[in-house]
Amino acid sequence: MKKPLPIVLDTDPGVDDFFCLAMLCAFPEEFSLRAVTTIGGNNSTEVTTKNALDILALFGKDAPVYPGADHFTEEEFGEPVVFAHGHNGLADVTLSASKREPEKEKAWDALYQIAKEENGELVVVTVGPQTNLALALLKYPSLKTKIRKIVMMGGTLGTGNISPYAEANVGNDAIASRVIFESGIPVDMIGLDTTRQCKVSLEEFEEMSEKTDPLIREIMRRMITFRKGEAMHDAAAFSTLLDPEIVSWKTGTIHVETETPLKKGRTTICETPQGIHRAAYEPRRERYKEVFGRMLERYPVK
Ligand code: RIB
Ligand code: CA
């Protein structure tokens, strides 16, 4: 039998982070969730850490949650992104509070420790600003030899969402993302231009979720309604680990602009067969929908 892929998820929950966690927790035969590390961006790290614990409790997982940085590499966090995630980061839906507390150890130390334990097999999935992973790579230079691959929601080969050029996860801490792309670790970048096209409408969701647990169904319904058609970017990026053909891939070297203020956070790929980076493009929405449906089936009416 295939061994589940060991994963650390670095996240800033976040409505679309919620759906990413739903997907990750739904397939234990595929993924071994070693830890969740948190970062702010959508909200403060205190709030995103609590959200991570509450989401894990909802999906019946007890992976440890390690809090990360409380500011970006060079800047403070901005105000909570209320229009996309609500005041509480979860579309103003209140989840039952987890009985667990966050771990005392910080995200970057936990990342290094887990990577060592996994002997080069660990996949780090980042669906928020990449500050924690950059801090880990700077503090522990040998970490770059211990991570199998980074899968990230972030960047864009098209237009951005915090500027014409930059997507939020990369643009909010472009210096951190540059550390990641220059680390020598293989990266799969699923950018905004691609995730934007992976949508499941409310009508489709209603049809697909008839056999889903009523509480989970209602929470998801409220979140999808809140988003008003905005894609669940983080789940779309994560779904490529379940079906890599949800997208096509360009192979090459990805560059993050950190110097020119107007274009800060812009991601571009120079295509070359020797490259260790891949950038997703041409999403196949129907295939994404199929994975989303399989996820819903994993939370059946009890
Ligand atoms: O730009 C989309 C990304 O920014 C998503 O990860 C979302 O959760 C926010 O963090
Ligand atoms: Ca996110």
Side-chain angles (χ1 to χ4, degrees):
M1 221 172 68
K2 202 175 73 174
K3 197 173 152 255
L5 201 62
I7 290 201
V8 170
L9 179 73
D10 191 56
T11 175
D12 58 342
V15 174
D16 53 335
D17 306 69
F18 173 97
F19 283 88
C20 174
L21 269 159
M23 226 174 243
L24 173 45
C25 295
F27 299 97
E29 73 285 15
E30 299 280 349
F31 308 116
S32 159
L33 179 57
R34 293 293 320 274
V36 172
T37 53
T38 56
I39 182 70
N42 292 334
N43 212 303
S44 68
T45 307
E46 201 183 328
V47 170
T48 59
T49 303
K50 180 186 169 4
N51 289 349
L53 284 162
D54 296 349
I55 297 168
L56 288 171
L58 178 72
F59 295 125
K61 289 273 173 205
D62 59 4
V65 176
Y66 297 92
D70 57 10
H71 57 85
F72 299 129
T73 305
E74 288 190 325
E75 283 163 41
E76 297 302 321
F77 293 154
E79 291 299 309
V81 187
V82 175
F83 76 91
H85 302 281
H87 292 90
N88 72 348
L90 296 175
D92 298 324
V93 176
T94 305
L95 302 184
S96 292
S98 163
K99 295 189 175 62
R100 295 192 302 133
E101 293 291 324
E103 304 298 315
K104 297 275 175 288
E105 204 181 348
K106 298 304 276 185
W108 39 90
D109 295 326
L111 267 164
Y112 178 60
Q113 190 53 42
I114 296 168
K116 266 201 311 187
E117 288 165 15
E118 291 295 345
N119 285 321
E121 289 303 309
L122 185 70
V123 172
V124 179
V125 179
T126 68
V127 293
Q130 296 176 303
T131 320
N132 292 331
L133 183 53
L135 285 169
L137 287 164
L138 294 172
K139 182 168 177 184
Y140 302 103
S142 70
L143 178 60
K144 62 175 181 285
T145 63
K146 302 185 190 317
I147 293 176
R148 176 167 160 185
K149 181 162 87 163
I150 295 163
V151 175
M152 60 180 282
M153 189 285 129
T156 176
L157 298 181
T159 52
N161 56 359
I162 59 166
S163 83
Y165 297 101
E167 178 282 333
N169 288 343
V170 170
N172 279 328
D173 198 341
I175 302 232
S177 293
R178 189 159 180 171
V179 171
I180 276 69
F181 284 114
E182 292 181 356
S183 68
I185 304 170
V187 181
D188 279 359
M189 178 181 106
I190 304 98
L192 192 71
D193 54 313
T194 300
T195 59
R196 258 181 182 150
Q197 299 175 59
C198 292
K199 284 185 197 171
V200 171
S201 71
L202 185 59
E203 294 67 33
E204 288 167 334
F205 171 78
E206 292 297 356
E207 209 174 297
M208 291 158 77
S209 62
E210 273 170 2
K211 295 188 179 141
T212 302
D213 171 75
L215 174 64
I216 291 179
R217 187 182 194 202
E218 178 57 19
I219 291 168
M220 289 183 169
R221 177 186 286 131
R222 285 175 62 185
M223 289 189 177
I224 293 170
T225 306
F226 180 90
R227 295 285 276 195
K228 299 193 181 79
E230 174 81 12
M232 300 300 177
H233 306 288
D234 297 343
F238 187 81
S239 69
T240 63
L241 276 168
L242 285 155
D243 175 2
E245 293 187 22
I246 285 178
V247 295
S248 301
W249 297 97
K250 292 178 198 264
T251 299
T253 302
I254 296 174
H255 169 80
V256 184
E257 177 58 46
T258 53
E259 303 303 324
T260 323
L262 180 67
K263 297 185 179 172
K264 198 169 177 183
R266 183 186 196 187
T267 44
T268 47
I269 183 161
C270 173
E271 287 186 71
T272 155
Q274 291 81 36
I276 57 166
H277 301 151
R278 298 197 303 171
Y281 72 111
E282 272 182 3
R284 301 178 182 93
R285 193 186 88 89
E286 285 307 315
R287 281 187 93 116
Y288 171 67
K289 218 180 114 184
E290 193 268 328
V291 169
F292 197 95
R294 280 202 277 135
M295 176 269 285
L296 292 173
E297 283 170 17
R298 293 298 183 102
Y299 299 110
V301 178
K302 286 175 200 118

